[in-house]
Amino acid sequence: MISSIINTVLYPRPNPPHYSAKSHPNYLIWIPPNGSIPSIPCFYFQASPERPLIIWSHGNGCDIGTMVPLLSLLNRTLSVNILIYEYPGYGLCVGQTPSEDKINRHTQQAYTFARSVLRFPPDRIVFYGHSIGSGTACMMVASLIQSRIPVGGLILQSPYQSLTDLVKQKAGVFRLFISELGWNNINVIQVITCPVLFIHGKQDDLISYDNSIKLYNACPSHKKQIVLIDNADHNTIDTRTVLQAVQQFLYMYLH
């Protein structure tokens, strides 16, 4: 029962999905299966191969189809390559149940695909974690840095310090039965030394912007920025603000 409640809180998947196998033929690609991991649907927005690649980990209330308008605009405006991959149980990843471990494995597969098939060098790859996606993005970047693999950068939009604390805030009386969950950004961020950008709305009542401030202060990187938006909440950060912040970040650290 408790695991079902946690699953409902963490992974409110769009139903029906916001895309189909035929809705975006110019963008849809599939990462081949690997062991226990089935094929993963992705959207790949191409720019010049010399430009950076952003690997995008989306929020929990959307799927990769939801993100097409924003990502196609980023692709055109900033001339960046973007690979957004799907989570288990979302969109066309049917017959699967989402979990932290499974999402982490999808993140790893997306990165492996970017390196081995798309042929992007590691120092030109930027990870973008939005909301719940900040957990898997932070974990992936920390793992690479600890393995002495260079990372181009990390962008965190509306991130949280600890998934455990976030779930307990939403679980009411059931919070006493919730054990420690895996995504703990405030611990992981302490090993991340690549360029990092934090973006957060100051009116966010789902994940307070204090989370970004504390993550920023705990991050040891000498190349870090934080953008706090006065009149934005969790879901209303203006597209132009995201564009400007990402553009300045990429120009400064990946120009």
Side-chain angles (χ1 to χ4, degrees):
M1 180 179 178
I2 299 301
S3 61
S4 177
I5 292 172
I6 293 174
N7 195 63
T8 300
V9 170
L10 290 183
Y11 311 113
R13 292 155 278 178
N15 188 21
H18 293 155
Y19 68 105
S20 69
K22 298 181 179 179
S23 59
H24 301 88
N26 294 332
Y27 304 133
L28 181 63
I29 62 174
W30 292 81
I31 296 176
N34 180 21
S36 62
I37 305 174
S39 299
I40 304 173
C42 306
F43 286 146
Y44 180 40
F45 301 85
Q46 286 185 268
S48 167
E50 287 76 30
R51 296 288 293 152
L53 170 72
I54 297 176
I55 297 179
W56 198 288
S57 303
H58 65 72
N60 60 354
C62 61
D63 54 32
I64 65 174
T66 314
M67 304 303 299
V68 168
L70 172 61
L71 300 192
S72 59
L73 181 61
L74 280 168
N75 168 245
R76 295 192 311 269
T77 306
L78 305 185
S79 298
V80 290
N81 303 276
I82 304 173
L83 177 68
I84 181 170
Y85 63 96
E86 194 57 280
Y87 295 163
Y90 282 69
L92 299 183
C93 280
V94 295
Q96 304 176 57
T97 302
S99 69
E100 290 177 79
D101 180 62
K102 291 178 182 177
I103 292 174
N104 287 339
R105 282 185 279 167
H106 277 213
T107 308
Q108 175 65 63
Q109 282 298 101
Y111 177 74
T112 300
F113 183 80
R115 292 291 314 278
S116 62
V117 178
L118 301 180
R119 300 291 185 181
F120 281 90
D123 60 352
R124 305 298 291 173
I125 295 177
V126 176
F127 288 85
Y128 197 119
H130 180 203
S131 189
I132 199 169
S134 65
T136 190
C138 280
M139 186 166 287
M140 186 70 216
V141 170
S143 175
L144 292 171
I145 289 174
Q146 289 177 318
S147 299
R148 300 185 183 278
I149 298 172
V151 179
L154 172 64
I155 301 173
L156 299 175
Q157 180 178 333
S158 308
Y160 47 85
Q161 294 182 78
S162 162
L163 188 60
T164 303
D165 292 343
L166 183 63
V167 172
K168 285 183 176 181
Q169 291 172 16
K170 310 300 177 183
V173 295
F174 296 103
R175 65 183 181 274
L176 298 176
F177 303 97
I178 296 173
S179 58
E180 189 71 21
L181 300 172
W183 288 329
N184 192 324
N185 292 340
I186 195 66
N187 286 344
V188 172
I189 201 74
Q190 296 177 47
V191 304
I192 294 178
T193 54
C194 68
V196 186
L197 168 64
F198 300 87
I199 304 173
H200 217 126
K202 295 181 78 171
Q203 304 302 317
D204 193 333
D205 56 5
L206 181 62
I207 303 175
S208 169
Y209 75 94
D210 288 342
N211 286 265
S212 277
I213 293 176
K214 291 176 180 177
L215 288 168
Y216 175 87
N217 290 334
C219 179
S221 175
H222 297 295
K223 301 177 179 179
K224 58 183 179 180
Q225 301 175 352
I226 185 167
V227 176
L228 303 176
I229 303 101
D230 289 331
N231 299 314
D233 59 23
H234 195 73
N235 297 309
T236 62
I237 296 180
D238 183 67
T239 299
R240 291 172 296 178
T241 302
V242 174
L243 278 170
Q244 183 178 17
V246 174
Q247 183 178 38
Q248 291 178 348
F249 178 75
L250 294 178
Y251 181 83
M252 182 169 293
Y253 299 121
L254 282 93
H255 181 57

